[in-house]
Amino acid sequence: AERVRRKKYESRKRTNTMIFVSAENAPPADKPYLISSLMELADDALAVEKYKGQWLSKHPFPSVAAPKIDWIKALVRLHDELQEEHFYMFSGPSAEQVASETLLENSPYRIRLELYCAKSDLPNDAADVDQELLAGQVAIYGNQTYVGAKSWDAYRTWLQTNKNEKVLFAQVDCVSTGELSRKVKEIKRSLGLSLVLCA
């Protein structure tokens, strides 16, 4: 009897279940791995545009040449206020997302992408750095004012001498189109510093 029950159980396990959904409730055809559906992605995009328009009407983009720290802080305050109003369940865009999209929309075609990190986040262990990649690429992707030895110990020591807590450890000239987050990963990987967290 136990053998019969086991066979019935195994046959049930092999039963395939098919679920049919409408196109708008399915993920994009080119990104089938996403959990979000086309409808949800469209709703998210509308929410981003809504809050982006409201925030920029209160705090317009200063200009390409003007300092932007105060402008970004103002966007962060607006986002934090909405979080409090919604009891920290606000599902709209982050201030960083609105700022980055606005910066890209107003940036020239070619930009200098600079990566900063806190000095405390610089790896202490040289084993956490691809030394061969660093030696070959630090002159290209590293801080352009560095002229020392092409090793992590030397580069890290030099970065630590900076008086600021956040230091420029990588930079590259690139086009402003495309996904900058992917470009950031590429630069860190090229330098052998994939584990460094950007500030």
Side-chain angles (χ1 to χ4, degrees), residues 33 113-116 130 133 137 141 169-172 174 178-198:
Y33 49 84
L113 182 59
E114 298 182 340
L115 307 187
Y116 289 79
D130 190 318
L133 279 177
Q137 302 294 332
Y141 295 115
F169 73 94
Q171 61 188 65
V172 67
C174 62
E179 297 181 16
L180 288 184
S181 59
R182 184 174 58 193
K183 191 66 178 179
V184 168
K185 292 178 181 178
E186 289 176 1
I187 297 170
K188 293 200 298 180
R189 186 166 58 247
S190 297
L191 265 177
L193 298 175
S194 296
L195 297 180
V196 174
L197 298 175
C198 293

Side-chain angles (χ1 to χ4, degrees), residues 48-63 71-72 74-76 78 93-95 97-106:
V48 170
E49 289 304 311
K50 170 189 172 183
Y51 288 106
K52 182 178 176 182
Q54 291 177 356
W55 296 355
L56 292 180
S57 66
K58 294 180 179 178
H59 300 285
F61 179 72
S63 74
W71 171 69
I72 294 174
L75 297 182
V76 171
L78 288 176
S94 66
Q97 181 181 358
V98 171
S100 62
E101 287 185 4
T102 307
L103 285 167
L104 281 177
E105 290 168 2
N106 291 276

Side-chain angles (χ1 to χ4, degrees), residues 26-39:
D30 59 337
K31 297 178 180 178
Y33 49 84
L34 290 181
I35 297 176
S36 300
S37 66
L38 284 170
M39 185 182 297

